[in-house]
Amino acid sequence: MTRESTEIALIGTDESGVLAELTTALYDRDVELLELDQAVRDGTFRVNARVDTDGMTVSQSVLRSELQALGDEFDADVRVRFPSSCDDQSIAVLVTKESHCLEALLEAWDDGELDADIGVVIGNHDDLRPLAAEYDVPFHDVGDENGSPDEDELLELLAEYDTDLVALARYIQILSPEVVFRYEDRIINVHPSLLPAFPGAAAYRQALEKGVRIAGVTAHYVTTDLDQGPIITQRAFNVPADAAEADLKALGQPLEAEALLEAIELHLEDELVIGDGRAMVEKPDRDATQLGAPAALDRANPEAPVDERESLVADDREGTAVADD
C-alpha cells in the first residue's frame, strides 16, 4: 500500500464504453495512469485505477467532480481518494455481538497506539453500542430485527465518516461486491482459523470435526471470494484433546484480537504490498512484528535431519554415474 498515489474506483453495472471514457478523461487532464484493474462480480462492474496527479492541469476538487459527472453518464459511482493529503486516517469498525476485537481496537486507539482515528462503530445488532459509548465513539445499527444489514445505509455511513479503512471485528456478515469494490484493499477481517483451512461459518467447529491438533486465526484483506483474500497475520494454538467448541473460542479470541490489531497497524504504517494474491511486508524483520507463530516456536523445533540428497548426488556424480529414481 502507498499514500503517494491517487486511487480512483468506478463501480457500476454496465461496463460498455466506460473504461475508454475514463482513461481519456485522465489523459486530457494530464493525469498519469500507473495501474488499472477491472473485475465483474454478481452483476457489479468495477474499475480500480492508481494514478499520479502531481502534474494534472486541474485541481483535486475539479478532478473529483468531473469524474463523478462522467460516472453519472454511465449510472456508475466514481470515488477519488487522494491518500497523500490524508494526515489522519479514519477507521470504521464493523461488529455483530462479540466484543473482544472491538475492545482491543478501542483500547489501542485510546492509548494512542493506532496511527488513525476510530471514527465510527457500525453493527448489524445493537449489542455493542454501550462499549462504543464508553470511548465516546458514534455507533450505528444498520441491521433489521434479524440482523440483516442495510448495505445502502452502511455505504452512506462509510462515506459520511470519510472512512479510509474498514475493520471487521467479528462482523458475522458477508459483504457484497457493492461494498468490497468501493473499499478494495482497505477492508481487513479476522477469521477464526488458519486460512485457507476452514473458511466460512463455524470455523472452530470445522477444526474440531477434522481432529486438528493445532488451530489458529487469520487476519486478511477482504475480497469478493469468501475468506480468500491476501493473508496478513496469523496466530496458532494447540487444541486440547478433550476440547469443545467453546474451549477453542476461549483460546482463540485473544489471538483474534491480537492478529487483527497487528494487521491494522501494518496497513496504517504502509508496510504492506499486495501482489499476486499475497500481502507482503516491506520490513518483515522490524522490531515487534509478529506475522505468525512466536519466535520461541522456531527455537523449539529441531534443526535436523534435513534432506541432503542433492548434495550426495552431486558428490557421486564426480565419480560414477548415478541412476535416476
Side-chain angles (χ1 to χ4, degrees), residues 98-119:
E98 297 180 19
S99 64
H100 56 288
C101 287
L102 175 60
E103 186 172 5
L105 293 179
L106 289 171
E107 286 182 357
W109 169 64
D110 192 51
D111 291 340
E113 297 175 8
L114 288 180
D115 187 22
D117 180 50
I118 295 181

Side-chain angles (χ1 to χ4, degrees), residues 2 17 20 34 50 63 82 120-121 192 207 210 212 233 275:
T2 177
L34 303 175
R50 189 169 66 85
L63 179 67
F82 299 95
V120 64
V121 177
K210 292 296 184 181
V212 301
T233 57

Side-chain angles (χ1 to χ4, degrees), residues 106-247:
L106 289 171
E107 286 182 357
W109 169 64
D110 192 51
D111 291 340
E113 297 175 8
L114 288 180
D115 187 22
D117 180 50
I118 295 181
V120 64
V121 177
I122 304 172
N124 64 314
H125 290 280
D126 207 42
D127 298 56
L128 298 183
R129 183 185 295 274
L131 179 56
E134 289 181 22
Y135 293 84
D136 295 323
V137 176
F139 184 97
H140 297 269
D141 180 5
V142 298
D144 62 16
E145 62 275 9
N146 298 316
S148 298
D150 183 337
E151 284 202 340
D152 289 336
E153 184 180 358
L154 171 60
L155 285 171
E156 289 175 3
L157 288 168
L158 294 178
E160 176 185 341
Y161 285 93
D162 197 20
T163 300
D164 295 295
L165 176 66
V166 180
L168 306 187
R170 300 300 291 132
Y171 180 65
I172 316 300
Q173 295 290 318
I174 298 174
L175 296 176
S176 76
E178 289 286 338
V179 178
V180 175
F181 281 162
R182 284 169 171 80
Y183 293 90
E184 202 150 10
D185 298 339
R186 292 193 285 133
I187 306 175
I188 296 178
N189 179 50
V190 63
H191 181 75
S193 81
L194 290 172
L195 290 174
F198 313 128
Y204 287 135
R205 188 185 312 157
Q206 291 184 61
L208 284 175
E209 290 172 349
K210 292 296 184 181
V212 301
R213 308 301 188 204
I214 297 174
V217 306
T218 303
H220 65 98
Y221 282 110
V222 173
T223 66
T224 54
D225 295 313
L226 179 63
D227 295 330
Q228 299 300 308
I231 291 170
I232 306 172
T233 57
Q234 293 186 304
R235 298 290 189 271
F237 59 90
N238 289 318
V239 177
D242 57 348
E245 185 177 0
D247 299 317

Side-chain angles (χ1 to χ4, degrees), residues 25-31 53-59 62 66:
L26 297 175
Y27 178 81
D28 289 345
R29 291 157 180 78
D30 288 338
V31 176
T53 55
D54 285 347
M56 69 179 177
T57 56
V58 296
S59 66
V62 168
E66 290 181 345

Side-chain angles (χ1 to χ4, degrees), residues 8-14 44-48 71 74-79 177-183:
I8 300 171
L10 182 149
I11 300 94
T13 56
D14 184 4
T44 299
F45 169 74
R46 73 104 173 100
V47 175
N48 280 346
F74 291 87
D75 194 25
D77 179 21
V78 178
R79 302 194 176 197
E178 289 286 338
V179 178
V180 175
F181 281 162
R182 284 169 171 80
Y183 293 90

